[in-house]
Amino acid sequence: MTTNEYTIALAGNPNTGKSTLFNLLTGLRQHTGNWPGKTVVHAEGFFTYKDKQYKIIDLPGTYSLYSNSADEEVARDFIIFEKPDVTIVVLDATALERNLNLALQVLEMTNRVIVCVNLMDEAKKKGIRIDIAKLAKKLGVPVVPISARNEEGIDELLDTIDLMIRGAIQTKPIVIPYSRSIEEKIAKLLPLVKEIVGDKYPARWIALRLLDGDTSLLDALKQENHHSFKEVARYASNRSAKSV
Amino acid sequence: MAPTKFDRLSEAEPGERFRIEKLDIEGTMKRRLLDLGFVPGCEVTVLQKSPLGDPTAYKVSNTTIALRIEESSNIYGERIRDDNE
Ligand SMILES: Nc1nc2c(ncn2[C@@H]2O[C@H](COP(=O)(O)OP(=O)(O)OP(=O)(O)O)[C@@H](O)[C@H]2O)c(=O)[nH]1
Ligand SMILES: [Mg+2]
């Protein structure tokens, strides 16, 4: 019997329980090393659920994906270039406001996202109540409450992954509107970006990164052999907003 | 042009709260500070200075983050003192 292997990425702020969830799902079926050329730890593991095989990557915990550090670059590049079948964004239920910053960034990059609100037990202790259904509706992707340490909510998470893999869940990630001047620049850049990358990469997100002057992303894209990107980059740098 | 009527976060003492008004800085460092949660309008608590006085730990949107003076001195706002001296 041959089966496909699906890839899942775990993203999230530092200390939100990604590794706890990773260990819970993979048990001993995991190995660690470094990302090629980086001093950042790479951990990947495997598990099977409902006859499907999964490879899961524990991405470094970051507050952002705007490449301020090697950690952020690793996480960003994995989501953009490796295109995991599902990206799980693990949030700390006791610090939702802060954690949503990264979640919104990921939602700009891919629509194959499950938001996992972890540390629900801590939130409960602190009297924090979270309207999961409302959050899911606002974000436009499934939201699953869990407590990784107490192994609560894991079945629902696995079922949600399975449904997403089978195409049974249609997501519609929230689109963050920017100021008028930035939206105008995005509108001008979009056709060019789409012409060059097609459906390969999230065009709006790339346009935004170009307007922000994200040179690290440009370098990464060039390495992926998109030399024609220079053209778009030149265009963008002439119109780049000083600070987005 | 640096704002003058506001205090710098770097001037706030441990135990004090501080309401952020603006970040007087551009580029990567601004981006980083925003991503760490130092956003205009939000309130920060100064936790403690390290033995050498730098960096300083802050409580910002429910998480502890340490900043160096080069960073905290670009954050302007209002010091909120609980005890009326
Ligand atoms: N109370 C509670 N604690 C949890 C839960 N999940 C994880 N923790 C704890 O939170 C701490 C951080 O967990 P990790 O799994 O290391 O977090 P991480 O996201 O991998 O952290 P980084 O790798 O630093 O980004 C550990 O002490 C865990 O035991 C949970 O559901 N409830
Ligand atoms: Mg970890």
Side-chain angles (χ1 to χ4, degrees):
Chain A
M1 192 181 81
T2 50
T3 29
N4 281 336
E5 185 181 75
Y6 299 96
T7 305
I8 297 176
L10 284 180
N13 284 9
N15 219 30
T16 54
K18 294 177 299 299
S19 300
T20 307
L21 178 61
F22 176 83
N23 290 334
L24 183 61
L25 292 174
T26 61
L28 294 173
R29 297 181 61 197
Q30 51 173 270
H31 41 83
T32 54
N34 275 2
W35 290 85
K38 313 247 177 181
T39 53
V40 179
V41 175
H42 174 277
E44 70 178 29
F46 303 87
F47 68 92
T48 309
Y49 184 71
K50 291 198 174 165
D51 295 329
K52 290 192 187 72
Q53 315 234 356
Y54 293 95
K55 175 163 96 178
I56 182 165
I57 315 291
D58 190 10
L59 294 176
T62 61
Y63 291 111
S64 168
L65 295 173
Y66 292 141
S67 57
N68 299 312
S69 66
D71 282 5
E72 295 186 13
E73 249 166 59
V74 160
R76 176 203 66 195
D77 287 355
F78 192 84
I79 294 171
I80 289 297
F81 298 123
E82 302 302 322
K83 295 190 224 309
D85 294 295
V86 176
T87 298
I88 298 178
V89 183
V90 182
L91 308 185
D92 175 350
T94 69
L96 262 199
E97 184 184 18
R98 142 180 311 284
N99 280 241
L100 281 170
N101 180 45
L102 182 85
L104 292 173
Q105 290 185 15
V106 173
L107 288 171
E108 283 189 324
M109 299 162 80
T110 162
N111 59 4
R112 304 177 64 86
V113 175
I114 296 172
V115 168
C116 193
V117 185
N118 189 30
L119 294 122
M120 286 302 287
D121 56 311
E122 273 303 308
K124 202 171 177 182
K125 256 189 236 160
K126 292 187 173 172
I128 299 168
R129 279 190 307 185
I130 297 168
D131 189 337
I132 296 290
K134 192 169 178 185
L135 191 58
K137 202 168 168 211
K138 285 220 158 171
L139 296 178
V141 298
V143 177
V144 183
I146 68 163
S147 172
R149 198 158 75 180
N150 304 332
E151 307 188 12
E152 282 164 17
I154 308 304
D155 292 342
E156 187 190 343
L157 177 62
L158 287 167
D159 279 334
T160 310
I161 293 170
D162 178 59
L163 288 172
M164 188 167 275
I165 293 289
R166 288 197 279 131
I169 295 178
Q170 294 305 315
T171 63
K172 199 174 182 300
I174 183 174
V175 177
I176 318 284
Y178 292 87
S179 70
R180 214 176 109 193
S181 70
I182 291 171
E183 286 294 345
E184 279 166 5
K185 289 176 182 124
I186 296 172
K188 280 186 194 143
L189 269 175
L190 263 184
L192 278 155
V193 174
K194 278 186 178 149
E195 201 181 305
I196 291 164
V197 301
D199 296 334
K200 210 169 168 207
Y201 303 116
R204 181 181 163 88
W205 180 79
I206 290 193
L208 275 165
R209 301 318 308 138
L210 291 171
L211 289 170
D212 202 18
D214 188 337
T215 50
S216 141
L217 173 72
L218 279 178
D219 292 344
L221 281 166
K222 277 179 204 147
Q223 274 184 17
E224 293 283 310
N225 284 323
H226 281 281
H227 294 291
S228 38
F229 238 94
K230 284 181 197 145
E231 206 180 296
V232 185
R234 205 173 306 125
Y235 182 91
S237 63
N238 292 334
R239 284 159 185 78
S240 137
K242 237 187 148 186
S243 118
V244 175
Chain B
M1 195 183 68
T4 46
K5 61 187 165 118
F6 294 117
D7 303 307
R8 295 167 187 262
L9 177 59
S10 51
E11 292 158 359
E13 295 295 330
E16 275 182 31
R17 287 180 297 135
F18 186 94
R19 174 175 285 279
I20 298 175
E21 200 61 41
K22 70 165 287 180
L23 309 188
D24 189 42
I25 189 176
E26 292 296 334
T28 321
M29 197 192 278
K30 179 176 189 176
R31 170 94 259 165
R32 194 176 101 81
L33 289 173
L34 290 172
D35 284 330
L36 289 173
F38 295 90
V39 179
C42 98
E43 222 178 83
V44 174
T45 306
V46 187
L47 294 178
Q48 62 182 67
K49 289 192 194 291
S50 61
L52 296 174
D54 194 39
T56 300
Y58 301 94
K59 185 101 177 167
V60 48
S61 82
N62 227 7
T63 301
T64 304
I65 305 273
L67 292 186
R68 287 170 292 126
I69 286 173
E70 298 101 273
E71 299 165 311
S72 57
S73 60
N74 296 308
I75 300 174
Y76 289 85
E78 223 180 311
R79 293 165 74 172
I80 307 166
R81 294 177 184 84
D82 279 333
D83 46 349
N84 299 325
E85 298 149 64

